[in-house]
């Protein structure tokens, strides 16, 4: 017996409510429940939100960092929609204000986030390095971080001529971020944040 998979449009996804607090990504029309991260996963994301907000303020940039509450519509798939929910997203404050009275999703026809971060976990590691890397690149997101506690490294992808250049940081390596060029932060500080 074959079970039919229910497919959702972007509009149906944005209004879907199963009565739980489960957060879903939409991948090629299918709802994919986001696994509850470990405490370390959440601590890393919170640390980066606080760090990015402080650095934005220090640089007098009108940017805000948000943790797992803004979706990004992906160009993946030709028949069904895909929407990702990064662990951290950095947006201009004006763009965030424009999302206040509607679903918090950056649509394909809108400016891309300045920076997105995924914190790898056993269930997402392959997706973070492969599918999301490709999707975020096609969306022209200038900077994409993968913080990988499983491999003890931070990978920063920088958009260059339509593709991401990759830089890997471990231990005491100072992170090099085009979005935050004066950021004084090491891979170890991010990976050990609490």
């Amino acid at each position: 017996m074959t079970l039919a998979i229910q497919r959702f449009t972007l509009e149906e996804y944005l209004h879907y409510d199963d009565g739980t607090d489960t957060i879903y990504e939409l991948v090629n029309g299918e709802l994919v429940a986001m696994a509850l991260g470990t405490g370390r996963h959440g601590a890393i994301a919170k640390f980066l939100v606080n760090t990015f907000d402080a650095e934005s303020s220090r640089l007098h940039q009108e940017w805000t960092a948000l943790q797992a509450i803004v979706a990004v519509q992906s160009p993946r798939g030709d028949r069904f929609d895909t929407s990702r929910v990064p662990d951290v997203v950095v947006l201009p404050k004006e763009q965030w204000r424009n999302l206040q009275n509607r679903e918090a999703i950056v649509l394909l026809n809108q400016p891309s986030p300045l920076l997105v971060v995924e914190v790898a976990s056993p269930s997402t590691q392959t997706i973070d390095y492969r599918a999301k890397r490709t999707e975020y690149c096609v969306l022209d997101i200038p900077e994409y971080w993968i913080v990988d506690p499983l491999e003890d490294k931070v990978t920063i992808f920088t958009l260059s001529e339509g593709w991401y250049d990759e830089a890997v940081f471990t231990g005491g390596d100072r992170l090099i971020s085009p979005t935050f060029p004066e950021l004084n932060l090491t891979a170890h500080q991010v990976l050990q944040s609490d």
Side-chain angles (χ1 to χ4, degrees):
M1 178 175 164
T2 303
L3 295 175
I5 296 173
Q6 183 177 359
R7 301 251 184 211
F8 291 80
T9 65
L10 183 63
E11 190 68 24
E12 291 168 334
Y13 162 73
L14 293 175
H15 294 99
Y16 180 76
D17 183 359
D18 64 359
T20 71
D21 290 333
T22 305
I23 297 174
Y24 295 93
E25 288 187 330
L26 182 67
V27 181
N28 204 22
E30 293 180 34
L31 294 177
V32 177
M34 293 179 62
L36 185 61
T38 64
R40 185 175 182 195
H41 184 280
I44 290 169
K46 182 179 178 182
F47 174 79
L48 288 173
V49 165
N50 292 338
T51 299
F52 293 153
D53 278 343
E55 191 66 6
S56 295
S57 179
R58 192 184 72 72
L59 295 173
H60 305 288
Q61 293 290 347
E62 290 294 313
W63 300 339
T64 188
L66 303 153
Q67 184 175 343
I69 60 171
V70 174
V72 178
Q73 185 181 10
S74 170
R76 176 182 174 159
D78 55 354
R79 291 188 52 214
F80 298 102
D81 289 310
T82 295
S83 176
R84 300 294 190 177
V85 182
D87 290 312
V88 177
V89 64
V90 177
L91 297 170
K93 287 182 179 178
E94 180 64 26
Q95 188 174 13
W96 173 235
R97 283 191 286 275
N98 291 336
L99 296 175
Q100 297 299 304
N101 294 315
R102 67 172 184 84
E103 291 81 11
I105 182 170
V106 177
L107 299 171
L108 289 175
N109 63 348
Q110 297 173 328
S112 296
L114 302 168
L115 184 152
V116 294
V117 178
E118 297 289 357
V119 180
S121 64
S123 64
T124 67
Q125 191 178 38
T126 300
I127 294 165
D128 292 341
Y129 281 99
R130 298 180 63 106
K132 290 183 182 181
R133 176 183 182 175
T134 302
E135 291 169 33
Y136 294 158
C137 179
V138 171
L139 289 170
D140 290 331
I141 296 173
E143 190 171 339
Y144 169 38
W145 291 25
I146 300 175
V147 178
D148 192 339
L150 307 169
E151 304 281 334
D152 283 325
K153 66 181 180 179
V154 177
T155 305
I156 297 179
F157 299 97
T158 305
L159 195 63
S160 176
E161 298 179 7
W163 189 242
Y164 280 134
D165 290 336
E166 174 181 327
V168 177
F169 303 91
T170 60
D173 295 343
R174 182 180 165 271
L175 303 179
I176 307 299
S177 167
T179 306
F180 296 103
E182 298 174 23
L183 190 64
N184 189 15
L185 191 63
T186 67
H188 178 77
Q189 288 172 300
V190 173
L191 290 162
Q192 299 305 313
S193 55
D194 54 11

